[in-house]
Amino acid sequence: MKKLGKQTKALIVCEIVMMISRMFLDTFLVAYFFQLTNQNVTIISIYYILAHGITALIFWLGGDVIKTKNKTKVYQVGMFLNCIYVLVIGILGEKCKDFYVLLGILYGISQGVYWLGGHAFRSLLIPFEDTKNYISITSILNQIVKITVPILIGTSIELTSFKEVAIAIFILTIIQIIASKKLIQEEDKSVGFNLLHYMKKLNELGLKAQGIKRQYKIAFFEGINSSLMKTLITIVIIMAFHTSFNLGALTTVFSILTIIANMIYKKNYKEKHSKAYIIICTVFPILSVIGLLVEINVVTVILYNIVNAIFIAILENIRDTKRYNCVNKEELEGYKIEHQSMYEICLGLGRVVAYTVLLIVGLLNDIIWFKLLLFMVTLCYIPSSINLYKSNQKEEIKKS
């Protein structure tokens, strides 16, 4: 294997640290809030409504900066803000529940700035000769992290405290910032960002842009199902098992199943069978949620998570491939930043809608409404899959 350049190595370190950080924040911080507030989901809802709303706003307002200025600097600012955010959580400890509004705003800003830079510049930083090894190494490291980190964090929280684990994650984010100093990108003199002009261009293309417009519908429903589903799964695991250790152990087990499913998918997937994959991977999660409607217990929670770990992982693989490939048209060559921004805005809107509904369910304070929300969120995979299915149909017609 050819030796990777310093810049590619630095990017790998940055991405792995962010993956660990998000795993901690999106799983264990949710569980922490849930336990601190005696299983009150309203605080979690408001926290995420603020975070996702601000992230979407940053993709709207920051488009011109990321398209015409140095993307690396934006990426590094995002890392620094995330570092500050983790430090604040570590300092606050149990007082997090009293500052959830401030934390939601700070999390939204840090994630918005980070991904504004991250989505835009990866392909610019990695030399062509490093691409294959970069993909291979990050794939292996991602799998190692998914298997080891959840149970390590869960065990550490049980043996020490959430606050001490947050400080350990903070130290990792400092390492990330140091590694990012190796990332260098020249100023980009691209034409300015114009989201309204891009949308007008899509309308002018008519049927040619139909597949791209479907991606934004998919993004909206992804915000509802995938994003809220992660929170709901964390909540039902805590309801059934009560401890961070069990949350970490089960997250590790489900991650192993997801890795196996992805390996099978990559080995056997063929474009001509995509419709069958989409249908099967949509139907099974809907069937598995029925058990949770009857009762949330150890058996129904494990069964539901096993099905999600396998089938939703495959569905998300198909979806993500379409997201990045759909603007490879000559007429839209200069609008890739606008496309990513529009996708993130639609994603953010879906997330805000989803967590607003969770807020209402929290205010109603009845387990029946919570179960119904689980069912409805799972059903939202249907419109998402229909758009994905139709997108594949259009591509097959073009090929034939």
Side-chain angles (χ1 to χ4, degrees), residues 80-97:
F80 176 75
L81 290 172
N82 186 64
C83 179
I84 297 299
Y85 174 71
V86 175
L87 176 62
V88 169
I89 288 172
I91 292 171
L92 289 176
E94 292 187 2
K95 292 181 181 178
C96 281
K97 69 179 187 295

Side-chain angles (χ1 to χ4, degrees), residues 21-34 41-56 85 89 100-105 107-109 111 223 226-232 234-235 347-356 358-359:
S21 173
R22 288 197 70 187
M23 194 176 288
F24 170 70
L25 296 172
D26 287 342
T27 301
F28 294 93
L29 181 58
V30 170
Y32 193 53
F33 273 140
F34 193 60
V41 299
T42 56
I43 285 179
I44 296 170
S45 305
I46 294 169
Y47 168 83
Y48 274 119
I49 288 169
L50 290 168
H52 294 314
I54 289 169
T55 298
Y85 174 71
I89 288 172
Y100 63 92
V101 171
L102 174 65
L103 292 175
I105 293 169
Y107 188 50
I109 294 171
Q111 290 298 298
S226 295
S227 301
L228 182 54
M229 187 59 71
K230 289 175 184 175
T231 301
L232 295 178
T234 299
I235 290 171
L347 186 66
L349 288 173
R351 286 168 170 168
V352 169
V353 169
Y355 284 99
T356 300
L358 180 62
L359 174 61

Side-chain angles (χ1 to χ4, degrees), residues 11 45 118 151 165 168 293 326 338 350 389 395:
L11 183 59
S45 305
I151 194 167
V165 174
L293 293 177
C326 70
E338 281 82 355
Y389 182 94
E395 287 186 9

Side-chain angles (χ1 to χ4, degrees), residues 21-211:
S21 173
R22 288 197 70 187
M23 194 176 288
F24 170 70
L25 296 172
D26 287 342
T27 301
F28 294 93
L29 181 58
V30 170
Y32 193 53
F33 273 140
F34 193 60
Q35 291 169 324
L36 287 176
T37 58
N38 294 318
Q39 302 190 352
N40 184 347
V41 299
T42 56
I43 285 179
I44 296 170
S45 305
I46 294 169
Y47 168 83
Y48 274 119
I49 288 169
L50 290 168
H52 294 314
I54 289 169
T55 298
L57 189 63
I58 285 172
F59 269 89
W60 178 282
L61 299 177
D64 193 63
V65 174
I66 200 62
K67 192 167 183 181
T68 60
K69 305 299 180 183
N70 191 297
K71 297 169 179 60
T72 306
K73 290 178 182 176
V74 178
Y75 190 54
Q76 289 170 331
V77 170
M79 289 180 206
F80 176 75
L81 290 172
N82 186 64
C83 179
I84 297 299
Y85 174 71
V86 175
L87 176 62
V88 169
I89 288 172
I91 292 171
L92 289 176
E94 292 187 2
K95 292 181 181 178
C96 281
K97 69 179 187 295
D98 301 321
F99 295 92
Y100 63 92
V101 171
L102 174 65
L103 292 175
I105 293 169
L106 185 53
Y107 188 50
I109 294 171
S110 67
Q111 290 298 298
V113 174
Y114 178 86
W115 291 111
L116 185 67
H119 283 312
F121 87 138
R122 285 177 189 170
S123 59
L124 297 175
L125 284 183
I126 304 169
F128 178 77
E129 61 273 13
D130 280 358
T131 303
K132 186 175 180 180
N133 288 346
Y134 164 79
I135 293 170
S136 299
I137 291 170
T138 50
S139 177
I140 292 167
L141 290 175
N142 283 344
Q143 291 175 11
I144 292 170
V145 167
K146 286 177 181 177
I147 291 170
T148 59
V149 169
I151 194 167
L152 182 62
I153 292 177
T155 304
S156 299
I157 290 172
E158 290 298 312
L159 294 177
T160 57
S161 68
F162 180 88
K163 189 172 182 177
E164 289 182 42
V165 174
I167 296 300
I169 301 295
F170 166 70
I171 293 168
L172 279 178
T173 62
I174 293 175
I175 294 170
Q176 181 189 40
I177 292 171
I178 295 169
S180 75
K181 299 297 182 184
K182 299 287 184 183
L183 304 176
I184 302 168
Q185 183 233 327
E186 295 178 359
E187 295 289 334
D188 191 344
K189 301 300 181 183
S190 300
V191 177
F193 176 86
N194 193 323
L195 199 57
L196 294 176
H197 190 272
Y198 168 65
M199 296 307 294
K200 184 180 177 182
K201 185 75 174 178
L202 290 182
N203 288 330
E204 289 173 359
L205 288 172
L207 291 175
K208 284 185 179 180
Q210 196 171 24

Side-chain angles (χ1 to χ4, degrees), residues 119 122 215 319-328 336 339-340 344:
H119 283 312
R122 285 177 189 170
Q215 289 301 309
R319 182 195 67 209
D320 290 345
T321 302
K322 300 297 176 190
R323 170 182 177 174
Y324 289 99
N325 291 341
C326 70
V327 287
N328 290 334
K336 290 186 177 180
H339 167 63
Q340 292 301 334
E344 289 292 329

